[in-house]
Amino acid sequence: MPNWFNRLTGGRDNTPAERKDFAGHSVLSLSQLGAATWSNRGFASLVNQGFAKNPVVYRCVRLIAEAANRVPLVIEENGRRVDEHPLAALLGRPNGRQSGGEMLEAVFAYLQTAGNAYLQAGVVDGEVKALFCLRPDRMRVVAGGDGWPVAYDYTAGGKTMRLRQDTLPVPDVLHMALFHPLDDHYGMGPLEAAQTSLDIHNAAGQWNKALLDNAARPSGALVYSVAGGNLTAEQFERLKTELEQGFSGASNAGRPMVLEGGLDWKTIALSPRDMDFIEAKNAAARDIALAFGVPPMLLGIPGDNTYANMAEANRALWRQTLIPLVLRVAEDMSNWLSPAFGGAVIKANFDGVEALAEDRAALWSRVGSAEFLSDAEKRAMLGISA
């Protein structure tokens, strides 16, 4: 009765068109690990490999941008908070396409991915009437003779527009940049610092996908050892094709392989357990979170994920990452827009942040129990207008 291998080889009575004798020699191949392959360091490459394809980076950026955007920005004049003010209206509705929250969310996200964020002022009749957030990859610094920026070129749709810094009542562009030790003008974002860990994490995901695609066919060799002969080229191609179609891929996972006629399977690959790539992937995810200043447990990365640790991690996120970021953006925007609005300043109001309620209550308790302070002094320490 014909079997699978007989059908493949055309029967044992057929003489192969070509035979190669094995003289008993052994071939030993030695190879070294090649150089690692890293993604490009440009903004577009990092965003495509990170924010668009890596869930850890995506969640870090979204977590920081959305949480920071929850902090309201208030207006103060002469040390007193004012609710009705043209600057407050501008921040609430900066342009016809975005709300204030959408614009600030883009600012925070660009700072995390590019290390730079740009706001353009729309001036009409000498008054700032609109604010626009510009893409960092389209901006180019135009330096003056002293090395300081005198303008910015914004390129979009094949056209370049020059935005000058000597305009009134405010410069055309506000450039916010995170510190970069080797660049005089452009900042360095957390995504760039996390590039190595990002590539490791993505490579581990690709390994996982390849493992699923080849679930029932571990890397190895199918050995044919009948009478010391070899398969013809046609038989070899037919065997390889049938093996790939019938026993590879996730849909064929677990399908039994019946070997006859001198065929034997020799596994030659390291198992995932040997490579321990899961732990390497988790370690890379923790390094990515570290670069963004996000506690790993808030991202679901395996570790000390207890309720007490989660609460403390949430406070640490606010204290070490979000508060400094929000204060920086608010101060930069205030210094930029204040001359156009009679010296009014922009302040971040953290009173409504739930994660800081315990810290706020402790501050109120300490200040309230200080009997040597007057009521006015206490209100000033708590940031309350008289």
Side-chain angles (χ1 to χ4, degrees):
M1 180 178 181
N3 56 32
W4 171 75
F5 183 69
N6 285 337
R7 291 196 304 270
L8 180 64
T9 60
R12 293 187 179 278
D13 295 335
N14 294 338
T15 302
E18 179 183 355
R19 296 180 61 90
K20 295 181 180 180
D21 295 331
F22 177 67
H25 300 290
S26 297
V27 177
L28 179 62
S29 175
L30 298 177
S31 62
Q32 297 180 346
L33 291 176
T37 301
W38 306 106
S39 59
N40 296 326
R41 296 190 70 87
F43 173 71
S45 175
L46 288 174
V47 169
N48 287 330
Q49 296 298 322
F51 187 80
K53 295 182 179 180
N54 189 280
V56 178
V57 173
Y58 179 85
R59 185 55 189 149
C60 283
V61 175
R62 296 293 302 170
L63 179 63
I64 293 174
E66 292 176 353
N69 194 33
R70 291 172 50 195
V71 180
L73 300 181
V74 298
I75 309 302
E76 290 186 2
E77 277 188 327
N78 301 321
R80 297 175 61 91
R81 176 175 171 178
V82 291
D83 296 328
E84 299 293 333
H85 195 276
L87 183 53
L90 178 66
L91 294 179
R93 187 66 173 177
N95 57 70
R97 298 184 58 184
Q98 290 180 310
S99 65
E102 290 175 319
M103 183 191 72
L104 287 176
E105 183 178 335
V107 169
F108 294 129
Y110 280 139
L111 285 174
Q112 299 306 304
T113 53
N116 302 276
Y118 301 87
L119 289 178
Q120 178 191 4
V123 179
V124 179
D125 296 332
E127 297 182 356
V128 180
K129 296 295 186 179
L131 299 175
F132 303 93
C133 187
L134 306 179
R135 275 178 46 176
D137 58 320
R138 294 177 173 175
M139 300 292 292
R140 186 179 66 87
V141 172
V142 179
D146 57 358
W148 293 100
V150 296
Y152 292 86
D153 283 345
Y154 182 74
T155 303
K159 298 181 180 180
T160 299
M161 176 175 57
R162 176 151 295 188
L163 306 173
R164 302 194 59 82
Q165 293 297 91
D166 57 357
T167 55
L168 294 176
V170 297
D172 282 342
V173 173
L174 169 64
H175 179 192
M176 292 170 280
L178 300 183
F179 175 69
H180 194 315
L182 298 177
D183 200 303
D184 295 331
H185 303 299
Y186 301 103
M188 176 176 165
L191 182 55
E192 186 174 354
Q195 180 194 15
T196 299
S197 299
L198 167 65
D199 287 342
I200 293 174
H201 195 273
N202 286 347
Q206 293 171 2
W207 168 275
N208 227 350
K209 178 63 166 58
L211 190 65
L212 290 176
D213 289 342
N214 300 276
R217 187 176 59 88
S219 180
L222 193 60
V223 180
Y224 173 58
S225 58
V226 174
N230 292 326
L231 299 175
T232 65
E234 181 182 358
Q235 292 169 345
F236 174 78
E237 290 299 328
R238 291 178 59 189
L239 175 60
K240 185 175 67 171
T241 300
E242 189 162 335
L243 190 64
E244 290 176 350
Q245 294 178 352
F247 298 95
S248 67
S251 60
N252 294 319
R255 184 176 180 179
M257 179 184 294
V258 179
L259 302 178
E260 297 185 35
L263 289 175
D264 187 23
W265 177 261
K266 300 293 185 181
T267 302
I268 59 175
L270 294 176
S271 68
R273 180 181 180 88
D274 295 330
M275 296 192 66
D276 200 12
F277 75 96
I278 295 179
E279 180 55 35
K281 185 177 182 180
N282 291 336
R286 284 190 286 269
D287 288 342
I288 294 173
L290 176 65
F292 281 94
V294 177
M297 58 193 66
L298 296 181
L299 303 175
I301 301 173
D304 299 327
N305 295 356
T306 65
Y307 177 79
N309 288 344
M310 289 286 289
E312 185 58 35
N314 195 26
R315 285 193 292 269
L317 172 65
W318 277 95
R319 294 169 183 166
Q320 301 176 14
T321 302
L322 295 176
I323 291 179
L325 178 64
V326 173
L327 290 177
R328 178 192 181 111
V329 170
E331 184 177 1
D332 288 347
M333 294 181 61
S334 180
N335 293 336
W336 180 47
L337 295 173
S338 181
F341 292 90
V345 297
I346 302 173
K347 295 286 187 179
N349 182 16
F350 296 96
D351 291 342
V353 178
E354 297 177 0
L356 302 176
E358 185 177 339
D359 295 345
R360 194 68 179 173
L363 176 62
W364 279 65
S365 177
R366 291 196 304 270
V367 174
S369 60
E371 299 179 356
F372 57 89
L373 295 175
S374 65
D375 291 343
E377 291 173 332
K378 293 179 179 179
R379 285 194 291 269
M381 292 184 66
L382 294 174
I384 301 176
S385 301

